[in-house]
Amino acid sequence: MRKSLLALVAAGLLTTATLTACDDGGDAGETGSDSATTSNGGSEIAGAADIGVILPDTKSSARWSTSDPAYLQAAFKKAGVSAQIVNAEGDKERFKRLADTLLDKGAKVLIIANLDAASGKAVIADAKSRGVPVIDYDRLTLNGNADWYVSFDNEKVGFLQAKALEKCLADMPNAPATPVIAELNGSLSDNNAHLFKDGYDGVLNALYDNGTFSKGPDQYVPEWDNDEGREMFALMLKQYPNIGGVLAANDGLGNAAIEVLREKGLNGRVPVTGQDATVEGLQNVLAGDQCVTIFKDVKLEADAAADLAVKLFQKVKVPVPAKLKDPESGLYIPFVKLEPQAITKANVKSVVDSGFVDANTLCTAKYKAACKDAKIIK
């Protein structure tokens, strides 16, 4: 399954103006009951669809242009429900225009991964005024009052990151007695970044208080921008040359820190965290430059969101498995909660075995020896 999806990505199909999920030779603009399409902009949305999906950008994480659209397409195709999957490319006004276009063209359910609370809230309000239910996907829209939220346990993501960092430093030969920890957080405008931070600060603050760790620089990276994260970490390291560990909120920011550490000959000597189990992040883990990544199986998340959207479209009553309190509105949002998994060098193979990452893509020439050591390839 994963190999076929990666083949689509490699062929560049996921970034074309319109893409069908059908393999039967249908027209690119087809939006029949067994098709899902990917579109790059509001003016390029092809025809009507039962379900509209708006993803946030292509820069903060590779998942938004590869894994999510591919898995969502496959799920909608399997359900025989038409869908339009579009990407806002980091533009909040575009995000709102895409939603308006999808709703105008008759979408009966919206799935959104917001860029910020304001634009997300505007889209939800527009949809509700038309009687269209909205699913917050991966990111909760604060004070938005979406009908459902589908995501991973994001505080647990942060908890797993901090516990792994603690273990990596405890196991590291010649680690400083009281290592200075730098925190490279996600975007201030992303509620998930705050949830991740709540999770890892719950662990780190106790370690700061008891003297196990020393608190170093702690900054949010606007829009999860990896280039800005690299510049910010370079300044952190200049101000705190004794940084002994980096709690980076995702693999992109983790790699930004690793690039700076590599320039100083410190990669592998200063443990760095991440999340998303990206190919780059997993390769950094295999190389020993990254201590941990967090595997959030996007297929599980996409399947859960698609299944929920299809049921809402079909007017099927859905039981509420859990609820999450919106910290701004105080309302409790029905929550489909998924479990994350910490990935270190010892269990990278489990991500490959799941089909999330292809061994050939991961184990390029530079990483073949590490892949053999991890028993990913022979």
Side-chain angles (χ1 to χ4, degrees):
M1 172 67 175
R2 177 67 180 175
K3 290 182 181 179
S4 64
L5 295 175
L6 287 172
L8 287 173
V9 176
L13 294 176
L14 289 180
T15 57
T16 59
T18 58
L19 169 68
T20 68
C22 301
D23 297 322
D24 58 2
D27 293 337
E30 180 183 11
T31 55
S33 63
D34 64 345
S35 69
T37 67
T38 296
S39 174
N40 286 336
S43 63
E44 299 166 345
I45 292 175
D50 300 325
I51 296 168
V53 182
I54 312 175
L55 301 177
D57 58 58
T58 56
K59 194 171 182 179
S60 65
S61 177
R63 62 173 289 188
W64 300 122
S65 56
T66 55
S67 305
D68 291 87
Y71 286 132
L72 286 164
Q73 285 171 2
F76 289 128
K77 179 184 175 183
K78 184 176 180 181
V81 174
S82 65
Q84 288 273 3
I85 302 171
V86 295
N87 194 300
E89 300 290 350
D91 185 329
K92 294 162 191 174
E93 291 304 313
R94 177 188 178 95
F95 187 92
K96 291 187 284 188
R97 287 197 304 271
L98 288 169
D100 189 53
T101 302
L102 288 166
L103 292 167
D104 282 348
K105 287 182 177 288
K108 298 298 187 290
V109 181
L110 278 188
I111 298 174
I112 65 169
N114 69 59
L115 282 164
D116 71 349
S119 56
K121 184 177 179 180
V123 166
I124 293 170
D126 185 17
K128 284 181 173 289
S129 73
R130 308 185 196 209
V132 173
V134 180
I135 300 168
D136 268 338
Y137 181 63
D138 196 69
R139 302 170 175 178
L140 181 68
T141 302
L142 292 179
N143 204 25
N145 194 23
D147 296 274
W148 284 85
Y149 177 46
V150 177
S151 189
F152 286 84
D153 184 338
N154 291 311
E155 285 195 29
K156 188 169 182 180
V157 168
F159 172 85
L160 292 173
Q161 288 174 314
K163 294 302 289 186
L165 183 62
E166 180 184 15
K167 185 176 189 308
C168 286
L169 281 164
D171 293 346
M172 181 173 287
N174 304 316
T178 308
V180 174
I181 306 300
E183 296 185 40
L184 205 57
N185 312 305
S187 175
L188 192 62
S189 64
D190 182 355
N191 185 57
N192 278 4
H194 296 277
L195 294 174
F196 302 144
K197 187 168 174 59
D198 287 346
Y200 52 73
D201 276 354
V203 176
L204 294 179
N205 286 340
L207 296 170
Y208 297 147
D209 289 345
N210 67 23
T212 301
F213 290 168
S214 177
K215 185 172 177 60
D218 181 354
Q219 290 182 268
Y220 286 89
V221 179
E223 310 302 329
W224 293 90
D225 188 290
N226 296 331
D227 293 334
E228 191 153 354
R230 188 181 304 108
E231 293 178 10
M232 291 171 71
F233 184 71
L235 286 174
M236 287 181 176
L237 192 60
K238 185 175 181 180
Q239 294 169 349
Y240 293 81
N242 61 335
I243 286 174
V246 183
L247 197 305
N250 73 354
D251 287 347
L253 296 178
N255 187 68
I258 288 166
E259 288 178 351
V260 175
L261 292 169
R262 192 175 288 129
E263 290 172 0
K264 306 292 184 182
L266 295 172
N267 58 303
R269 295 165 55 189
V270 177
V272 178
T273 69
Q275 75 166 294
D276 290 334
T278 62
V279 169
E280 182 179 66
L282 293 168
Q283 288 174 336
N284 283 334
V285 169
L286 288 169
D289 291 341
Q290 186 168 318
C291 162
V292 67
T293 185
I294 305 301
F295 179 33
K296 301 183 299 182
D297 192 337
V298 174
K299 185 177 187 304
L300 295 180
E301 190 175 24
D303 285 350
D307 178 67
L308 176 59
V310 169
K311 286 176 178 173
L312 293 174
F313 170 70
Q314 295 173 340
K315 309 292 186 184
V316 175
K317 187 173 182 180
V318 183
V320 177
K323 289 189 176 183
L324 180 73
K325 185 178 182 180
D326 182 329
E328 289 201 2
S329 70
L331 296 175
Y332 286 86
I333 309 300
F335 183 20
V336 179
K337 181 167 63 175
L338 306 167
E339 286 297 308
Q341 179 186 3
I343 301 296
T344 64
K345 192 181 296 187
N347 63 341
V348 169
K349 186 175 184 295
S350 67
V351 182
V352 177
D353 289 344
S354 76
F356 183 73
V357 170
D358 179 63
N360 292 327
T361 304
L362 180 65
C363 301
T364 57
K366 183 177 178 180
Y367 300 97
K368 275 191 176 177
C371 281
K372 287 180 180 178
D373 288 343
K375 296 182 169 46
I376 296 168
I377 59 175
K378 295 181 180 178

